[in-house]
Amino acid sequence: MSSSRIYILGIGNIGRLFAHALANTPNPPPITLLLHRPSLLLDWHLAGRTISITTHGVTNSNGAYDVEEPTIHEDGIIENLIVATKTLHTAKALEAVKHRLNAESTVLFTQNGMGTTEEVTRTIFPEEAGRPSYLAAITAHGVYSEGPFRSVFAGQAHVSVGRVSGSSSTSRYLLDQIVAAKLLNATEFESRELRLLQLEKLVVNAMVNPLTVVYNCRNGELFKRSDITSVMRDLLAEASQVVSSLPELRTREDGGNDVAERFSKENLEAKVLDVAEKTAANTSSMLQDFRVGRETEVGYINGYIVKRGKELGINVGNNERIVEMVQKRKLAVDG
Ligand code: KPL
């Protein structure tokens, strides 16, 4: 039945984990992997046409997927789409399938950082008529790649999922499938709470990720040094002020007073230190990208704080500098 098919665009670690979790339920939906680069088809054959996920040393390979190259003449409507591409490539990857999405479609975004859904609306679906409804997922699981279509599910945590505020609500089908996929350990939140959780993650990533690049170290090594802690506090003071001032969070009767408390410098610092400690052995995703010369997501993380801060007239000089540093050091790696 076409309405129950789930398409996945972006087959990196998060895409593989979602595919694997959905395929390993008692009543799995049909799943199609959209291979957005031609080289992926060869990789798929080399991987034995399976996705392999290793958990606690045990590898489970499942081949219960159809594959399609989205750029090649397919034009059937996609009703359920999970977009698991990197932030930087999301709008471009969606461009190739936009003719297959309509107001009945549901698109789940799994990207880090903020600003992707706004970018997709601006560049791909500027008209409200015909725009799919949006869901977002925040993934706290630790997954790393062992090669194309092979990942290790290293740190089991949870997924927070829900509708994106302002998005029209059509089907619940995709949400229900995500929550039913036990391996994801997903909880559904209402849109405002989901947004607050996204912003908390944004601030944590805005502190940990670029500092691991600048100081070239694992997460756990960062805040053992008082000089790095002091740089983090300067970045955090700006982030706290920006998030606490966001007008879209002040729409409740109490004026959004919960936001100022939740995003106080003290609460945010406690969160940052907690995540850095719990993920002490991790090489942050930004440092991994940086080391292999890939463009990083700093523009969607600290860059988002800079953009919103400037709109609100808040000084975001420290975040602006760290965006430049990470991007410049990237140039140094390239050159
Ligand atoms: O989300 C992460 C990332 O690396 O992007 C953290 C939580 C910092 C773990 O490494």
Side-chain angles (χ1 to χ4, degrees):
M1 200 171 69
S2 75
S3 69
S4 62
R5 181 166 291 274
I6 297 177
Y7 290 77
I8 302 183
L9 180 63
I11 316 292
N13 290 313
I14 299 297
R16 291 172 208 165
L17 180 65
F18 275 69
H20 179 75
L22 289 165
N24 285 280
T25 56
N27 190 13
I31 301 171
T32 296
L33 309 177
L34 293 169
L35 307 181
H36 61 293
R37 275 185 279 114
S39 61
L40 283 173
L41 193 57
L42 179 60
D43 288 342
W44 176 243
H45 288 294
L46 291 175
R49 293 190 284 278
T50 59
I51 289 179
S52 300
I53 300 283
T54 303
T55 314
H56 301 309
V58 179
T59 301
N60 180 323
S61 299
N62 195 330
Y65 310 101
D66 297 310
V67 298
E68 273 177 28
E69 289 177 79
T71 43
I72 308 207
H73 16 264
E74 290 294 339
D75 53 9
I77 292 297
I78 294 177
E79 292 181 25
N80 305 289
L81 176 65
I82 298 175
V83 188
T85 46
K86 285 247 173 203
T87 340
L88 296 151
H89 307 129
T90 299
K92 190 158 175 267
L94 266 175
E95 183 72 47
V97 290
K98 76 171 180 194
H99 62 290
R100 300 179 62 184
L101 296 164
N102 63 23
E104 307 304 314
S105 309
T106 303
V107 180
L108 170 70
F109 292 92
T110 65
Q111 286 68 30
N112 264 333
M114 302 284 284
T116 317
T117 51
E118 290 88 337
E119 184 183 351
V120 166
T121 295
R122 204 176 53 248
T123 60
I124 314 279
F125 302 112
E127 306 295 332
E128 201 172 334
R131 186 183 301 150
S133 48
Y134 298 163
L135 306 175
I138 311 167
T139 307
H141 296 294
V143 198
Y144 66 87
S145 180
E146 282 206 309
F149 299 98
R150 284 187 295 126
S151 292
V152 177
F153 189 16
Q156 296 183 22
H158 52 85
V159 168
S160 309
V161 68
R163 297 187 195 284
V164 172
S165 47
S167 177
S168 61
S169 48
T170 47
S171 148
R172 279 205 54 85
Y173 174 76
L174 188 52
L175 258 176
D176 291 341
Q177 292 294 313
I178 297 293
V179 173
K182 290 269 178 299
L183 208 67
L184 293 177
N185 190 18
T187 307
E188 183 183 344
F189 290 92
E190 50 87 18
S191 325
R192 186 174 191 277
E193 179 58 24
L194 189 75
R195 179 106 182 143
L196 296 177
L197 291 168
Q198 283 179 312
L199 287 163
E200 268 169 5
K201 179 155 166 54
L202 176 87
V203 174
V204 169
N205 286 135
M207 303 300 119
V208 174
N209 295 21
L211 291 174
T212 58
V213 172
V214 171
Y215 293 97
N216 190 26
C217 64
R218 287 178 191 268
N219 299 357
E221 288 155 35
L222 281 175
F223 306 119
K224 288 187 184 143
R225 281 178 48 178
S226 60
D227 56 333
I228 305 183
T229 304
S230 142
V231 176
M232 182 267 284
R233 288 190 176 136
D234 291 340
L235 292 166
L236 192 81
E238 294 175 359
S240 162
Q241 206 190 342
V242 170
V243 177
S244 309
S245 312
L246 290 176
E248 67 268 27
L249 302 180
R250 303 206 153 266
T251 51
R252 297 184 348 160
E253 274 172 18
D254 68 359
N257 286 336
D258 60 325
V259 174
E261 165 69 16
R262 188 157 165 177
F263 290 90
S264 68
K265 285 188 283 187
E266 297 69 27
N267 282 344
L268 289 176
E269 181 168 330
K271 275 226 162 337
V272 170
L273 298 182
D274 182 53
V275 172
E277 198 186 306
K278 285 195 176 129
T279 62
N282 273 30
T283 301
S284 79
S285 55
M286 199 176 286
L287 183 53
Q288 289 180 45
D289 286 341
F290 180 78
R291 282 186 176 157
V292 296
R294 267 196 303 261
E295 198 176 340
T296 71
E297 295 185 310
V298 72
Y300 288 83
I301 298 176
N302 302 77
Y304 185 80
I305 293 169
V306 170
K307 177 173 168 286
R308 300 304 309 267
K310 285 188 170 171
E311 282 165 16
L312 294 162
I314 295 169
N315 176 10
V316 282
N318 290 300
N319 280 278
E320 204 165 10
R321 261 191 302 283
I322 206 142
V323 171
E324 268 172 38
M325 281 176 82
V326 172
Q327 288 178 341
K328 272 209 194 107
R329 280 169 145 245
K330 160 94 183 36
L331 290 178
V333 168
D334 278 350

